[in-house]
């Protein structure tokens, strides 16, 4: 597993003559599930029981619903696993990602949501030289085609949904580290002079199912791998000479000198200046990955803002509250990231 450092970069966008600039920065968000850092290679396995259901595709016209002829995509699991493999490789989180083309849950001998045995997991890991197995242990999909009459035109929408059930089998601990249910939907809409004309612009149900297979495989990478998210925050750079000078130090990445000036304002300024100074100090600490200190100063800022009753500062008060909540959540995320990428934050 590649070790990923948390890197926060800032771009300052000046906003006219306002007292603040807008910071755009990226933060690393933890994956939904935590995979131990010692897991450097995994094998993706189709362990799903063949999906067959006669009532999964529906047509609705003028409120009347009927079941369409059953349409199945036998390669659905293959689409999911191939897409997931490509997404994982692009993230460089694992050293290697393999796909085992054997189906371990066939129609005659298998059953829905059957687990891989310890022997099967060990055999797969030994064959590929891998540390773990991620198995697609079940899936289902369905669709709804709806026709809407607008009088002079017709509308057609296609809603395709899919659900995948995953299990992560760890070779080292000989346990299932997690079980995960993933659900997603893709939606299309077209208009035409007739129902047939509108519907003809939509993908076929079979193609739509294949597409959501690739989509849901790509989307599952966020359940396994930390990903970057872009945020925006205000940084107050004007109002008095202390804010102006602190902004210069901040622009030179000399955060400690900037913090000294903001701290002076926090001690001696007016209430709205104190709140802004505390907010800036919180941002400075966040950039340095000192989240506990950032959270403390964000609370100081919000606490002062709450005492300001003027509607002029209502937007700042709301943003201050949101930033405090974000940092509280961020603190737990950093702890989770430390488990996922092996420290070094």
């Amino acid at each position: 597993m590649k070790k990923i450092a948390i890197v926060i970069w800032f771009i300052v966008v000046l906003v006219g003559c306002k007292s603040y600039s807008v910071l755009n920065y990226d933060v690393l968000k933890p994956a939904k599930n935590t995979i131990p850092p010692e897991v450097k290679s995994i094998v993706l396995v189709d362990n799903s029981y063949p999906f067959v259901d006669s009532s999964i595709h529906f047509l609705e016209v003028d409120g009347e619903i009927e079941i369409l002829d059953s349409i199945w995509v036998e390669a659905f699991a293959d689409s999911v696993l191939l897409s997931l493999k490509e997404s994982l490789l692009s993230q460089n989180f694992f050293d290697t990602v393999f796909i085992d083309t054997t189906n371990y849950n066939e129609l005659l001998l298998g059953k829905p949501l059957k687990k891989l045995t310890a022997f099967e997991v060990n055999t797969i890991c030994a064959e590929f030289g891998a540390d773990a197995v991620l198995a697609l242990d079940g899936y289902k999909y369905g669709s709804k085609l709806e026709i809407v009459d607008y009088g002079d035109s017709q509308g057609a929408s296609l809603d395709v949904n899919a659900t995948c059930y995953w299990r992560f089998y760890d070779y080292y601990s000989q346990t299932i580290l997690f079980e995960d249910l993933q659900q997603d939907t893709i939606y299309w809409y077209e208009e035409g002079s007739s129902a047939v004309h509108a519907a003809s612009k939509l993908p076929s149900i079979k193609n739509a199912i294949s597409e959501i297979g690739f989509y849901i495989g790509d989307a599952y990478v966020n359940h396994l791998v930390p990903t970057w998210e872009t945020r925006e925050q205000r940084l107050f750079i004007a109002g008095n000479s202390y804010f102006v000078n602190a902004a210069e130090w901040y622009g030179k990445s000399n955060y400690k000198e900037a913090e000294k000036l903001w701290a002076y304002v926090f001690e001696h300024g007016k209430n709205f200046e104190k709140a802004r100074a505390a907010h800036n100090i919180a941002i400075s600490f966040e950039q340095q990955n000192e989240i506990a200190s950032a959270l403390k100063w964000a609370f100081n800022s919000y606490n002062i803002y709450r005492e300001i009753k003027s509607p002029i500062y209502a937007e700042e008060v709301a943003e201050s509250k949101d930033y405090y909540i974000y940092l509280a959540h961020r603190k737990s995320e950093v702890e989770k990231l430390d488990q996922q990428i092996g420290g070094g934050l």
Side-chain angles (χ1 to χ4, degrees), residues 129-183:
D131 305 312
V133 170
L134 175 62
L136 178 59
D137 278 350
Y139 67 85
K140 65 178 181 179
Y141 49 74
S143 71
K144 180 181 178 182
L145 175 62
E146 183 176 2
I147 305 297
V148 181
D149 186 357
Y150 295 118
D152 57 346
S153 66
Q154 301 283 321
S157 65
L158 179 60
D159 186 308
V160 177
N161 62 84
T163 299
C164 289
Y165 189 78
W166 302 89
R167 289 190 181 103
F168 192 92
Y169 301 83
D170 181 33
Y171 172 75
Y172 298 110
S173 64
Q174 294 288 295
T175 61
I176 297 174
L177 286 187
F178 60 82
E179 300 180 58
D180 205 4
L181 187 67
Q182 178 195 17
Q183 297 176 306

Side-chain angles (χ1 to χ4, degrees), residues 209-266:
I209 294 169
S210 295
E211 185 164 339
I212 198 173
F214 283 105
Y215 175 81
I216 206 166
D218 180 67
Y220 194 64
V221 72
N222 293 335
H223 291 233
L224 307 171
V225 176
T227 52
W228 293 98
E229 176 183 274
T230 300
R231 286 188 53 82
E232 289 187 354
Q233 286 293 341
R234 295 186 188 193
L235 181 77
F236 294 97
I237 60 171
N240 60 42
S241 60
Y242 295 101
F243 280 107
V244 173
N245 292 331
E248 291 182 6
W249 285 117
Y250 186 85
K252 297 175 183 177
S253 298
N254 194 329
Y255 306 118
K256 295 307 176 186
E257 289 300 320
E259 288 165 14
K260 290 177 184 177
L261 294 172
W262 290 324
Y264 182 85
V265 176
F266 181 76

Side-chain angles (χ1 to χ4, degrees), residues 266-279:
F266 181 76
E267 291 295 331
H268 303 284
K270 299 174 183 178
N271 267 8
F272 76 92
E273 292 174 331
K274 291 181 178 182
R276 289 176 174 180
H279 172 82

Side-chain angles (χ1 to χ4, degrees), residues 3-232:
K3 194 173 186 180
I4 304 175
I6 293 183
V7 178
I8 302 181
W9 53 271
F10 287 78
I11 298 177
V12 178
V13 182
L14 297 181
V15 184
C17 298
K18 293 183 178 179
S19 60
Y20 63 87
S21 63
V22 177
L23 304 177
N24 292 285
Y25 60 102
D26 286 351
V27 294
L28 191 62
K29 307 286 286 186
K32 176 184 176 183
N33 302 299
T34 296
I35 299 172
E38 61 267 20
V39 175
K40 296 179 173 61
S41 61
I42 64 170
V43 184
L44 307 181
V45 170
D46 176 14
N47 189 45
S48 59
Y49 192 69
F51 176 64
V52 178
D53 193 324
S54 60
S55 58
I56 55 175
H57 303 297
F58 300 92
L59 171 65
E60 180 175 346
V61 181
D62 296 330
E64 297 292 326
I65 298 177
E66 64 177 270
I67 298 175
L68 297 174
D69 291 338
S70 296
I71 300 171
W72 298 293
V73 177
E74 294 181 1
F76 181 83
D78 295 335
S79 299
V80 173
L81 296 182
L82 284 170
S83 179
L84 176 57
K85 177 183 178 181
E86 292 303 313
S87 295
L88 287 173
L89 289 175
S90 70
Q91 295 292 328
N92 294 316
F93 189 71
F94 297 104
D95 289 346
T96 48
V97 180
F98 304 98
I99 293 182
D100 187 340
T101 57
T102 304
N103 188 313
Y104 290 87
N105 197 0
E106 294 181 334
L107 185 61
L108 293 179
L109 300 176
K111 63 180 181 179
L113 299 181
K114 178 181 74 71
K115 296 178 181 178
L116 291 172
T117 65
F119 175 78
E120 288 171 328
V121 171
N122 292 341
T123 300
I124 294 168
C125 288
E127 179 182 349
F128 289 91
D131 305 312
V133 170
L134 175 62
L136 178 59
D137 278 350
Y139 67 85
K140 65 178 181 179
Y141 49 74
S143 71
K144 180 181 178 182
L145 175 62
E146 183 176 2
I147 305 297
V148 181
D149 186 357
Y150 295 118
D152 57 346
S153 66
Q154 301 283 321
S157 65
L158 179 60
D159 186 308
V160 177
N161 62 84
T163 299
C164 289
Y165 189 78
W166 302 89
R167 289 190 181 103
F168 192 92
Y169 301 83
D170 181 33
Y171 172 75
Y172 298 110
S173 64
Q174 294 288 295
T175 61
I176 297 174
L177 286 187
F178 60 82
E179 300 180 58
D180 205 4
L181 187 67
Q182 178 195 17
Q183 297 176 306
D184 227 317
T185 301
I186 298 182
Y187 177 83
W188 292 266
Y189 176 80
E190 296 289 349
E191 291 186 10
S193 57
S194 66
V196 173
H197 183 211
S200 68
K201 298 180 182 181
L202 298 171
S204 69
I205 292 176
K206 192 166 187 175
N207 287 341
I209 294 169
S210 295
E211 185 164 339
I212 198 173
F214 283 105
Y215 175 81
I216 206 166
D218 180 67
Y220 194 64
V221 72
N222 293 335
H223 291 233
L224 307 171
V225 176
T227 52
W228 293 98
E229 176 183 274
T230 300
R231 286 188 53 82
E232 289 187 354

Side-chain angles (χ1 to χ4, degrees), residues 127 313 340:
E127 179 182 349
Y313 301 101
Q340 294 182 356

